[in-house]
């Protein structure tokens, strides 16, 4: 294709946006709405995954040290615990600290009056790198010399892992469905624009224009509309997300919900919105014009 022909086709593509202003406006609005819905759900799913991961990190293993060991010997076991593969951190809790925590947890309960520090054991609070391997790590901890016993909530860790797996599957499925629905809606919107211009396409075919020559302006038009929709959707997503997070922070005095800052998602969100806008614009226009090419 000659350079001057390419320039003409690109110019015609951009001109078509303004010649059919209402349909262009409708296509942009549909693109914005679809991308905002998909983007909002994607961000929600990501934040929920982060929240579940943080809750999962609260699952710990309590390691009780043999009461016959001295303080120095009890503390030395921490080095062995930290050397285990899946251990992120082992925090030593002395008998005295354990007694303080015990009293705080059972404040006012006369049934536990008289409990002394000597009645309790030194212990370690062990956090793991991967809670799905809690059972294997617990078995390794029990085999260490000087360890009298452990307390590990396998069911809780497995429950969090199950929630994450289900969340991932549901998120991927819903996002895929939303993308397909978005593409269908945008494609149908573009088809309406094509129907309005079917006579123009038929005339071009009759005078000998090739399919590529006819398609390119529409592809340029679809690409441009898709990118305009992506830019507008990204701006609305950013403003809406920040406003919602601020609103939740104002009413959530206990900080039960934590959301990542949008700036942390900036690069992937820009990439996703641009790719989605480009895809729906080009594919929507390319597939929509096919039925009008047979004259």
């Amino acid at each position: 294709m000659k350079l001057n022909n390419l320039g003409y086709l690109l110019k015609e593509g951009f001109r078509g946006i303004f010649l059919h202003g209402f349909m262009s406006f409708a296509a942009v609005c549909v693109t914005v709405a679809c991308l905002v819905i998909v983007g909002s759900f994607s961000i929600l799913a990501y934040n929920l995954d982060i929240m579940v991961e943080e809750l999962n990190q609260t699952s710990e293993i309590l390691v009780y040290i043999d009461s016959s060991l001295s303080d120095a010997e009890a503390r030395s076991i921490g080095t062995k615990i930290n050397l285990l593969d899946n251990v992120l951190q082992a925090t030593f809790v002395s008998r005295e600290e354990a007694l303080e925590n015990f009293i705080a947890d059972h404040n006012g309960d006369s049934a536990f009056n008289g409990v002394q520090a000597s009645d309790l054991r030194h212990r370690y609070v062990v956090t793991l790198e991967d809670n799905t391997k809690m059972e294997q790590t617990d078995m390794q901890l029990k085999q260490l010399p000087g360890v009298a016993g452990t307390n590990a909530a396998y069911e809780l860790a497995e429950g969090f892992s199950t929630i994450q797996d289900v969340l991932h599957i549901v998120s991927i499925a819903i996002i895929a469905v939303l993308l397909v629905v978005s593409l269908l809606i945008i494609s149908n919107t573009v088809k309406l624009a094509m129907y309005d211009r079917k006579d123009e396409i038929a005339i071009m075919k009759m005078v000998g224009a090739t399919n590529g020559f006819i398609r390119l302006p529409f592809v340029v038009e679809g690409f441009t509309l898709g990118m305009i929709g992506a830019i507008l959707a990204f701006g609305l997503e950013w403003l809406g997300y920040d406003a919602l997070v601020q609103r939740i922070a104002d009413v959530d005095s206990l900080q039960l919900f934590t959301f990542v800052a949008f700036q942390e998602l900036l690069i992937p969100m820009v990439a996703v919105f641009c790719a989605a806008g480009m895809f729906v614009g080009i594919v929507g226009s390319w597939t929509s014009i096919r039925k009008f090419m047979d004259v």
Side-chain angles (χ1 to χ4, degrees):
M1 182 180 294
K2 295 181 179 180
L3 187 60
N4 57 343
N5 286 343
L6 179 60
Y8 167 77
L9 293 176
L10 292 176
K11 183 178 69 175
E12 285 297 303
F14 288 113
R15 189 172 68 90
I17 296 175
F18 301 98
L19 285 177
H20 305 84
F22 177 76
M23 296 308 301
S24 298
F25 176 76
V28 170
C29 290
V30 171
T31 303
V32 170
C34 293
L35 290 181
V36 167
I37 293 173
V38 174
S40 298
F41 185 84
S42 301
I43 293 178
L44 175 62
Y46 179 78
N47 277 284
L48 288 176
D49 186 60
I50 295 296
M51 292 179 192
V52 173
E53 182 64 30
E54 290 178 351
L55 288 174
N56 197 12
Q57 292 299 325
T58 63
S59 300
E60 301 166 335
I61 300 178
L62 288 179
V63 179
Y64 299 102
I65 307 303
D66 193 326
S67 58
S68 64
L69 298 181
S70 65
D71 291 355
E73 290 172 329
R75 291 180 181 275
S76 67
I77 295 177
T79 302
K80 299 176 183 178
I81 294 176
N82 281 310
L83 289 176
L84 296 179
D85 290 338
N86 193 37
V87 172
L88 178 64
Q89 183 179 8
T91 304
F92 179 74
V93 180
S94 66
R95 291 189 180 98
E96 292 73 21
E97 291 172 323
L99 179 60
E100 292 177 3
N101 295 335
F102 184 84
I103 293 174
D105 292 340
H106 300 85
N107 186 29
D109 194 336
S110 59
F112 298 103
N113 288 343
V115 175
Q116 303 295 321
S118 58
D119 299 324
L120 304 176
R121 299 176 186 270
H122 294 304
R123 64 198 64 185
Y124 282 90
V125 178
V126 180
T127 54
L128 308 179
E129 295 178 355
D130 184 359
N131 281 325
T132 61
K133 301 177 181 178
M134 180 177 285
E135 187 171 1
Q136 299 93 308
T137 306
D138 185 45
M139 294 299 296
Q140 294 176 328
L141 290 168
K142 289 179 178 178
Q143 295 173 3
L144 292 177
V147 173
T150 62
N151 183 8
Y154 301 138
E155 296 82 3
L156 183 62
E158 291 173 358
F160 281 133
S161 298
T162 301
I163 291 174
Q164 278 191 299
D165 292 339
V166 172
L167 183 61
H168 290 160
I169 294 172
V170 172
S171 299
I172 292 173
I174 293 179
I175 291 172
V177 171
L178 288 174
L179 283 174
V180 172
V181 171
S182 301
L183 183 59
L184 290 175
I185 293 174
I186 293 170
S187 178
N188 288 329
T189 303
V190 176
K191 280 182 181 178
L192 293 176
M194 298 300 171
Y195 185 80
D196 189 46
R197 302 166 70 177
K198 65 182 187 301
D199 293 337
E200 175 186 341
I201 297 173
I203 293 173
M204 294 177 68
K205 288 284 291 184
M206 290 177 182
V207 298
T210 63
N211 289 345
F213 188 89
I214 297 173
R215 279 196 180 106
L216 185 58
F218 292 103
V219 172
V220 171
E221 185 176 340
F223 168 80
T224 305
L225 293 175
M227 292 305 297
I228 292 173
I231 293 171
L232 293 176
F234 178 79
L236 290 175
E237 190 73 49
W238 191 344
L239 293 174
Y241 181 82
D242 284 347
L244 180 61
V245 170
Q246 183 60 48
R247 178 60 179 167
I248 293 175
D250 292 339
V251 299
D252 184 20
S253 57
L254 298 178
Q255 295 184 342
L256 299 176
F257 302 99
T258 55
F259 294 89
V260 299
F262 193 86
Q263 286 77 1
E264 296 182 23
L265 306 171
L266 193 60
I267 295 178
M269 288 297 291
V270 168
V272 169
F273 271 71
C274 287
M278 186 186 306
F279 177 78
V280 298
I282 294 177
V283 174
S285 60
W286 184 273
T287 56
S288 299
I289 198 177
R290 287 172 56 188
K291 66 176 294 185
F292 299 103
M293 298 301 294
D294 298 325
V295 178

